[in-house]
Amino acid sequence: MDIDFFLSSLSKLPLFDKWAWGAVSVAVLAAAGLILFIERRHFAARDKGGSWLSLRLLSLFVLLPVTAGVIVIPSMAISGPEALAYFYLALLILGPLVWFAGHSLCGRLLRPAFSKGESRFMAASGLLILFLPFAAATVAQGPIFLASRGLTESAFQAAPAAALPHATGPVQRFNLPTVGLIYTQSLIAPPGLELERIDRKVGEIWADTATSSRDILCRDQQNVHLMWSAREPTPVLRLYWRLNGQRVQADFSPVTVADSAEPREFTITFRPDGIDPPVPIPRSRASIAYFVGPDRLYFNSLNPLQPGETFANDCIMPGYKRVDSEKEGPPQAVALMFFQSANAPYLRAEIKRPAEPQSNRQP
């Protein structure tokens, strides 16, 4: 495990989570200490306190590394599915055999010696102590997550309302084949603004867009870009940011008005190494296609990030470039998907690169 990554992740936990997991850790240490204390009293009453301490030290510094080595080292040396098969075999059979046999052997060699039953008891209690942290984490994870989420949601919901600081661009209308009319709009943030969160209203529920599919919006730094079809519900958003050190919120929903003018065709400019859409596109809507054989296109979702990209800035902007463009070849098409409702099929539109002479195609 990367210790720097672990410490960085730990430092980013909310304060409640840190205290909660700290309490769980203290409880685990207290339980382990209680088990060891009761064990020592039990064996000290039988004049085996020194043997108990020796076996516990041998368990920690000899038997535990040997058992872990039997499980891990061969599974790392083996490749393929056999490695996983060996790992589970060693974890469930070989590891426990080595652990219990080692305790029996060491217990017999100590003076005063342990009986076979006492050695097995020590081995079992040692396993219990080893599994305590995992069991506690499994049991506590759900309640801590729910409690932390509840506190976080309460803090956001309690934020006072304020005027939306973004400059709202005009609602633009485009026509897409097989989809029909779509709308786009951009919210441009003023310098220095930092959005904390964007919620989207789905039915009567407000959902954090950072933890759900962002098909109707994307972010470019602190700017927010919307794209939705006439067959989809108009987005209803709630934006949170800091104003003079205090968290505030503002609701926003685009206003579409009837327009007798024909919508523009949604056209994309194709470059050898990428594309230039007319407006920012949420990456979860888009796939890009390139040739994988003569006249055979492969559509690759743009949801996976390229090197240097982040989900915090997840728009397909004008100037979008494919990192592996030399390997993939020039993009040949872009597919956009729109979701009408849970019970209706999604709509898919393809915008293709203008036809080129056959000799100019790259396989």
Side-chain angles (χ1 to χ4, degrees):
M1 177 184 293
D2 188 339
I3 187 65
D4 292 333
F5 176 77
F6 174 77
L7 293 176
S8 174
S9 301
L10 193 63
S11 66
K12 294 177 182 178
L13 284 176
L15 183 61
F16 172 82
D17 294 54
K18 292 178 181 178
W19 279 100
W21 284 114
V24 171
S25 301
V26 170
V28 168
L29 290 174
L34 180 62
I35 292 173
L36 294 174
F37 175 75
I38 294 174
E39 272 188 5
R40 186 184 180 284
R41 284 189 59 184
H42 173 79
F43 287 109
R46 290 159 176 76
D47 296 326
K48 294 183 179 181
S51 297
W52 171 85
L53 179 60
S54 298
L55 186 53
R56 275 287 166 245
L57 292 175
L58 286 170
S59 299
L60 180 61
F61 295 109
V62 178
L63 297 179
L64 181 59
V66 169
T67 303
V70 168
I71 297 172
V72 175
I73 294 176
S75 62
M76 294 179 65
I78 303 171
S79 60
E82 293 82 2
L84 186 61
Y86 174 83
F87 176 79
Y88 282 114
L89 175 68
L91 182 66
L92 299 175
I93 299 177
L94 295 181
L97 283 176
V98 171
W99 179 258
F100 279 89
H103 277 78
S104 297
L105 177 62
C106 292
R108 184 179 301 176
L109 296 176
L110 292 172
R111 292 295 179 268
F114 285 116
S115 67
K116 186 180 294 185
E118 289 173 333
S119 296
R120 290 175 178 173
F121 170 79
M122 292 279 286
S125 64
L127 282 180
L128 175 62
I129 293 173
L130 289 175
F131 285 128
L132 267 178
F134 302 100
T138 301
V139 172
Q141 182 179 13
I144 290 177
F145 171 78
L146 292 175
S148 176
R149 184 175 180 180
L151 289 172
T152 301
E153 291 301 318
S154 297
F156 274 95
Q157 291 172 10
L164 183 69
H166 290 70
T168 57
V171 175
Q172 301 188 68
R173 302 162 67 247
F174 293 92
N175 182 60
L176 262 179
T178 72
V179 175
L181 181 63
I182 68 168
Y183 300 99
T184 68
Q185 188 174 24
S186 294
L187 308 180
I188 307 302
L193 179 84
E194 185 171 349
L195 285 173
E196 283 194 330
R197 197 168 103 174
I198 303 174
D199 287 356
R200 176 188 178 187
K201 191 175 185 181
V202 181
E204 297 301 319
I205 300 174
W206 288 96
D208 182 3
T209 57
T211 57
S212 59
S213 176
R214 300 213 310 210
D215 51 312
I216 58 102
L217 68 89
C218 63
R219 286 182 59 174
D220 171 37
Q221 303 297 333
Q222 307 307 315
N223 303 323
V224 182
H225 303 282
L226 306 175
M227 174 181 282
W228 72 103
S229 77
R231 305 188 193 188
E232 294 176 318
T234 301
V236 180
L237 306 179
R238 179 169 290 166
L239 292 78
Y240 299 89
W241 71 98
R242 293 279 176 175
L243 180 63
N244 299 324
Q246 182 186 24
R247 178 184 292 125
V248 293
Q249 60 169 295
D251 291 350
F252 174 79
S253 183
V255 177
T256 58
V257 296
D259 192 340
S260 58
E262 287 293 321
R264 289 190 292 158
E265 291 297 319
F266 194 91
T267 58
I268 293 177
T269 301
F270 289 84
R271 306 189 318 273
D273 61 351
I275 58 173
D276 294 311
V279 291
I281 301 174
R283 68 168 56 244
S284 61
R285 285 201 188 275
S287 300
I288 196 165
Y290 44 86
F291 282 117
V292 293
D295 297 323
R296 183 186 170 197
L297 288 178
Y298 172 76
F299 279 89
N300 186 25
S301 171
L302 293 182
N303 239 348
L305 298 176
Q306 298 186 112
E309 294 180 340
T310 68
F311 280 120
N313 301 306
D314 56 347
C315 291
I316 305 301
M317 302 289 292
Y320 175 77
K321 181 179 180 180
R322 295 295 295 171
V323 173
D324 291 333
S325 59
E326 293 186 3
K327 177 183 176 182
E328 297 171 350
Q332 300 297 318
V334 172
L336 300 178
M337 292 190 297
F338 294 83
F339 305 91
Q340 304 177 76
S341 67
N343 300 322
Y346 66 83
L347 302 174
R348 185 174 185 272
E350 288 187 14
I351 301 100
K352 295 185 176 181
R353 174 187 285 270
E356 297 179 0
Q358 187 73 20
S359 59
N360 290 343
R361 288 188 178 180
Q362 296 186 16

